């Protein structure tokens, strides 16, 4: 037992180190881009570009990543940096940014919070929108516009994601993913109708045409799409919803996706809680074995990460 413990201590950091080296040519930069309106003329974010992005003659798919109620930064610290001086983001977000870029997918992490800080408010306190979120960062309205502004930036050939070269993002191959409040943004943007309308949105209104991935959104009354009034929630394209059985919104999400049917995919994880995938910043190598039945946050995280990436990649072949 002592030997095994010792081995684990040695092996885990080494594996993490090798993985970083293997994906070492990814570029990670803090970026600014035009915001959705005059109230927010500029948004910030973190851009993960695949290795070879500058030199490739091909176009790239992209994903826009929407954070939960405590923003994108590790420890709510907008100055947080890793040892290699790249921005240090919350575990689940950074893990996905690096992994997507490692798979040849551009990843843009949107920061909906920082640029909206009122004067005189402490930045670290402002990053915490977990009580009642400030209306200026509302998940169902404002942040939907943020996601769409991020899309515009990704495909803006004039702006360019890398210095001096036009954007290489394929405008028909951009997807949206999010966690918690950010997942609510994804559910709203992905819906075939508006929240208060039974009228279907025109096809041309859908910017995000790759599958959407959501982790533990709130699916209750705040999501609107009032069942019974003719407007109910159904995504236009494939959408995967990952949530733990111990999450307060488990039943609401299960009901929403059951009503919506295909193309929504509901995956409930036994005895996992909210934020189950924040446990670790290292991409999992395998899901938990099927026996005994997987349960709890770590097994949920491994399966949700691996299977959600496969869900996305199935649309990219
Ligand atoms: C924020 O991150 C910076 C850079 O890593 C560090 O120097 C600073 O101490 C951090 N502040 C807090 C409050 O954690
Ligand atoms: C889930 O948690 C409940 C309550 O703690 C426990 O009885 C059950 O065995 C757990 N399920 C699994 C598969 O571990």
């Amino acid at each position: 037992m002592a030997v095994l413990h010792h081995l684990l201590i040695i092996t885990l950091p080494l594996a993490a180190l090798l993985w970083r080296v293997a994906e070492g040519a990814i570029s990670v930069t803090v970026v600014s881009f035009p915001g959705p309106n005059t109230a927010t003329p500029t948004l910030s974010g973190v851009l993960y570009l695949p290795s070879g992005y500058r030199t490739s003659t091909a176009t790239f798919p992209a994903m826009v990543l929407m954070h939960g109620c405590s923003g994108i930064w590790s420890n709510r610290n907008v100055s947080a940096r890793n040892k290699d001086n790249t921005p240090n983001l919350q575990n689940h977000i950074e893990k996905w940014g690096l992994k997507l870029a490692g798979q040849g997918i551009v990843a843009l992490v949107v920061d909906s919070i920082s640029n909206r800080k009122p004067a005189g408010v402490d930045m670290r306190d402002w990053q915490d929108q977990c009580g009642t979120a400030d209306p200026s960062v509302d998940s169902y309205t404002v942040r939907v516009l943020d996601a769409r502004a991020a899309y515009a930036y990704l495909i803006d050939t004039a702006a360019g994601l890398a210095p001096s070269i036009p954007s290489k993002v394929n405008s028909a191959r951009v997807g949206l993913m999010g966690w918690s409040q950010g997942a609510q943004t994804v559910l709203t943007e992905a819906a075939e109708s508006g929240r208060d309308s039974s009228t279907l949105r025109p096809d041309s209104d859908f910017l995000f045409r790759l599958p959407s991935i959501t982790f533990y959104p709130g699916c209750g009354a705040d999501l609107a799409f009032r069942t019974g009034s003719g407007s109910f929630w159904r995504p236009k394209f494939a959408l995967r919803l990952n949530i733990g059985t111990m999450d307060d919104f488990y039943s609401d999400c299960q009901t929403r996706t059951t009503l919506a049917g295909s193309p929504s995919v509901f995956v409930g994880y036994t005895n996992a809680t909210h934020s189950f995938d924040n446990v670790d910043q290292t991409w999992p190598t395998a899901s938990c074995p099927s026996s005994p039945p997987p349960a709890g946050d770590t097994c949920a995280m491994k399966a949700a990460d691996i299977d959600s990436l496969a869900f996305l990649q199935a649309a990219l072949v």
Side-chain angles (χ1 to χ4, degrees):
M1 189 59 200
V3 172
L4 182 63
H5 189 230
H6 187 65
L7 270 178
L8 282 176
I9 287 170
I10 300 288
T11 312
L12 289 178
L14 187 62
L17 183 69
L18 291 175
W19 177 76
R20 286 256 177 176
V21 171
E23 304 198 353
I26 292 166
S27 96
V28 187
T29 39
V30 175
V31 292
S32 287
F33 57 93
N37 47 39
T38 49
T40 311
T42 308
L43 283 170
S44 58
V46 176
L47 179 67
Y48 294 82
L49 286 179
S51 69
Y53 179 87
R54 286 192 67 86
T55 51
S56 172
T57 54
T59 60
F60 287 76
M63 292 295 283
V64 170
L65 280 58
M66 304 301 291
H67 60 74
C69 67
S70 54
I72 69 172
W73 294 99
S74 174
N75 201 26
R76 293 188 273 118
N77 178 359
V78 297
S79 308
R81 293 294 177 272
N82 294 304
K83 286 197 179 112
D84 62 2
N85 206 35
T86 55
N88 183 4
L89 304 191
Q90 295 203 20
N91 285 345
H92 52 296
I93 300 177
E94 183 156 335
K95 173 175 60 174
W96 270 93
L98 289 169
K99 187 65 188 179
L100 288 167
Q103 301 292 306
I105 301 166
V106 172
L108 175 59
V109 176
V110 176
D111 181 347
S112 290
I113 295 180
S114 298
N115 286 18
R116 296 191 167 105
K117 185 182 82 62
V121 175
D122 177 77
M123 182 55 110
R124 198 155 175 275
D125 292 344
W126 177 246
Q127 295 293 316
D128 180 0
Q129 296 290 336
C130 296
T132 302
D134 190 275
S136 70
V137 291
D138 183 80
S139 318
Y140 305 104
T141 54
V142 178
R143 297 195 61 203
V144 173
L145 302 179
D146 289 359
R148 295 176 69 89
Y151 174 90
Y153 167 63
L154 279 174
I155 66 157
D156 182 351
T157 51
L161 302 179
S164 329
I165 57 168
S167 171
K168 295 178 177 178
V169 170
N170 182 337
S171 62
R173 291 190 136 203
V174 183
L176 190 57
M177 66 181 293
W179 293 263
S180 196
Q181 285 186 359
Q184 292 159 190
T185 302
V186 179
L187 295 187
T188 307
E189 172 57 23
E192 63 179 7
S193 69
R195 288 167 84 211
D196 294 319
S197 166
S198 57
T199 308
L200 298 185
R201 294 160 58 195
D203 188 70
S204 58
D205 195 42
F206 290 89
L207 309 179
F208 300 98
R209 304 181 87 88
L210 286 182
S212 299
I213 301 168
T214 58
F215 289 81
Y216 40 83
C219 295
D222 291 349
L223 184 60
F225 297 100
R226 295 162 299 173
T227 24
S229 71
S231 156
F232 73 97
W233 179 83
R234 184 196 286 124
K236 168 93 168 172
F237 301 113
L239 180 145
R240 179 181 168 111
L241 196 157
N242 303 296
I243 193 165
T245 58
M246 291 172 73
D247 193 298
D248 286 349
F249 288 104
Y250 180 83
S251 303
D252 286 334
C253 287
Q254 190 176 38
T255 303
R256 291 266 187 201
T257 47
T258 303
L259 280 171
S262 170
S264 64
V265 176
F266 177 84
V267 188
Y269 291 99
T270 303
N271 288 4
T273 63
H274 203 72
S275 300
F276 62 76
D277 64 331
N278 208 355
V279 178
D280 199 331
Q281 199 174 89
T282 307
W283 191 265
T285 51
S287 296
C288 293
S290 55
S291 178
D297 288 355
T298 300
C299 285
M301 174 187 69
K302 290 177 176 178
D305 283 349
I306 290 171
D307 296 346
S308 295
L309 182 62
F311 182 75
L312 171 63
Q313 285 179 317
L316 291 173
V317 290

